[in-house]
Amino acid sequence: LGGGPIITTGDVWFLDSGIGSNGNDGKSKDRPFATLDYAFSRCTASNGDYIIVAPGHAETITTAVGLDIAGVTVVGLGPGRTKPAFTGSGAIDVFDVSAANISIHNLRIVGASASVTALINTTTAGTDFSAYDCLFMPGATPLNNITINAPRYTFKRCTWLSTADGSDNSILHETGNCDDWVVEDCLFNYGVGTGLDLAVIAGGALLTTGGTFNHNVVIGFDVLICDFNSSTSAQGDGIISNVYAVAGAGVADNDTANDHGGYSTINCMVTDSVTESGAKSPVATPA
């Protein structure tokens, strides 16, 4: 890696579908593994291990990749479409996160098959998951792009780029134990299809507190930006702030762009027209 930024006391493993083999030792860029699932099997839990994925690496995923060793960091190398790509094929979650403190960087995860169930799913054991600078590409499926079942997750500087109509939610909380999360500096672009059908991030009737949805751009949502229907605090369960969004025809007015539940909003702007600038959402004037 030359003078790269990785500092760790753990092991560093290399992955490259172009020249790799799971019969290699994975200890250098010249002897890389071929698949991410196998690379994870070589890691040691909570050891600070890194998996370095070569530019142009590509895998078609027919069985969910198990991100199941705690404390592993996966770093993809390469800009643009040379980001390592993992393409789902079949009724599967592409990545299944079942261990704590896993972090992924600069990967491209594609929902190509009509039956893919999630690009990433975190189980109840997959706490403190984080994704940075990743590109998520849902097609007609998965309906729920990311499914969350554990607290303290983070998405930063990630892009959701729809390649076909069909997505219901970008991020769906499937359990009530999804507190203290951060989604920040992300782009949710569903302009290719007819829009995101339900919400960018949804907890439904589930109680989820401590969330931060900040400085995000949303293109093409048909119902809600955020869907939270429960509250425990008069001061707010979390915050929706600095959001800039383009609504579809299903959004009647700016006041209906969010179902806040107990969440508070600051500086959110929504438009549903190419000829009108964004307006505050909600539009209530402070006392």
Side-chain angles (χ1 to χ4, degrees), residues 172-205:
L172 177 65
H173 297 165
E174 293 189 313
T175 67
N177 184 26
C178 298
D179 297 338
D180 305 322
W181 50 270
V182 176
V183 178
E184 191 166 55
D185 295 320
C186 293
L187 168 63
F188 299 86
N189 187 352
Y190 292 84
V192 172
T194 58
L196 186 65
D197 292 341
L198 295 181
V200 176
I201 182 166

Side-chain angles (χ1 to χ4, degrees), residues 15-18 33-36 53-59 82-86:
L15 181 62
D16 186 345
S17 60
F33 297 136
T35 65
L36 181 58
V53 191
H57 176 87
E59 293 186 43
T82 67
K83 287 184 179 184
F86 299 84

Side-chain angles (χ1 to χ4, degrees), residues 131-206:
Y132 300 89
D133 303 298
C134 290
L135 175 60
F136 304 113
M137 300 180 66
T141 60
L143 297 179
N144 301 307
N145 304 163
I146 311 290
T147 50
I148 301 290
N149 294 274
R152 301 184 302 277
Y153 69 87
T154 298
F155 290 90
K156 287 191 176 182
R157 302 183 305 276
C158 293
T159 296
W160 279 252
L161 180 61
S162 172
T163 60
D165 182 40
S167 295
D168 284 346
N169 300 289
S170 302
I171 302 172
L172 177 65
H173 297 165
E174 293 189 313
T175 67
N177 184 26
C178 298
D179 297 338
D180 305 322
W181 50 270
V182 176
V183 178
E184 191 166 55
D185 295 320
C186 293
L187 168 63
F188 299 86
N189 187 352
Y190 292 84
V192 172
T194 58
L196 186 65
D197 292 341
L198 295 181
V200 176
I201 182 166
L206 301 172

Side-chain angles (χ1 to χ4, degrees), residues 1-279:
L1 290 177
I6 293 174
I7 299 173
T8 182
T9 57
D11 293 316
V12 179
W13 307 96
F14 291 83
L15 181 62
D16 186 345
S17 60
I19 62 171
S21 166
N22 291 343
N24 290 337
D25 64 14
K27 286 292 190 177
S28 83
K29 66 181 181 61
D30 300 314
R31 304 185 305 276
F33 297 136
T35 65
L36 181 58
D37 197 70
Y38 184 78
F40 254 84
S41 76
R42 303 302 296 160
C43 293
T44 301
S46 303
N47 189 50
D49 286 8
Y50 273 72
I51 299 171
I52 309 301
V53 191
H57 176 87
E59 293 186 43
T60 297
I61 307 301
T62 57
T63 301
V65 176
L67 307 191
D68 53 3
I69 304 297
V72 174
T73 299
V74 183
V75 178
L77 303 180
R81 293 304 172 91
T82 67
K83 287 184 179 184
F86 299 84
T87 301
S89 177
I92 59 163
D93 301 331
V94 181
F95 286 176
D96 188 60
V97 182
S98 60
N101 306 310
I102 289 171
S103 181
I104 64 173
H105 300 249
N106 199 52
L107 303 182
R108 182 159 57 102
I109 307 175
V110 184
S113 170
S115 53
V116 169
T117 50
L119 301 180
I120 296 175
N121 174 70
T122 67
T123 71
T124 56
T127 58
D128 300 279
F129 171 78
S130 57
Y132 300 89
D133 303 298
C134 290
L135 175 60
F136 304 113
M137 300 180 66
T141 60
L143 297 179
N144 301 307
N145 304 163
I146 311 290
T147 50
I148 301 290
N149 294 274
R152 301 184 302 277
Y153 69 87
T154 298
F155 290 90
K156 287 191 176 182
R157 302 183 305 276
C158 293
T159 296
W160 279 252
L161 180 61
S162 172
T163 60
D165 182 40
S167 295
D168 284 346
N169 300 289
S170 302
I171 302 172
L172 177 65
H173 297 165
E174 293 189 313
T175 67
N177 184 26
C178 298
D179 297 338
D180 305 322
W181 50 270
V182 176
V183 178
E184 191 166 55
D185 295 320
C186 293
L187 168 63
F188 299 86
N189 187 352
Y190 292 84
V192 172
T194 58
L196 186 65
D197 292 341
L198 295 181
V200 176
I201 182 166
L206 301 172
L207 178 60
T208 301
T209 61
T212 301
F213 190 82
N214 178 55
H215 205 258
N216 298 305
V217 174
V218 180
I219 302 174
F221 73 100
D222 285 342
V223 180
L224 295 167
I225 299 170
C226 298
D227 182 10
F228 304 117
N229 295 317
S230 58
S231 177
T232 61
S233 171
Q235 295 300 317
D237 292 333
I239 190 168
I240 307 163
S241 56
N242 302 303
V243 176
Y244 306 97
V246 178
V251 181
D253 58 59
N254 289 339
D255 268 350
T256 64
N258 282 299
D259 187 352
H260 300 90
Y263 278 65
S264 301
T265 56
I266 299 175
N267 195 35
C268 295
M269 307 290 286
V270 178
T271 183
D272 63 357
S273 171
V274 296
T275 60
E276 296 178 0
S277 63

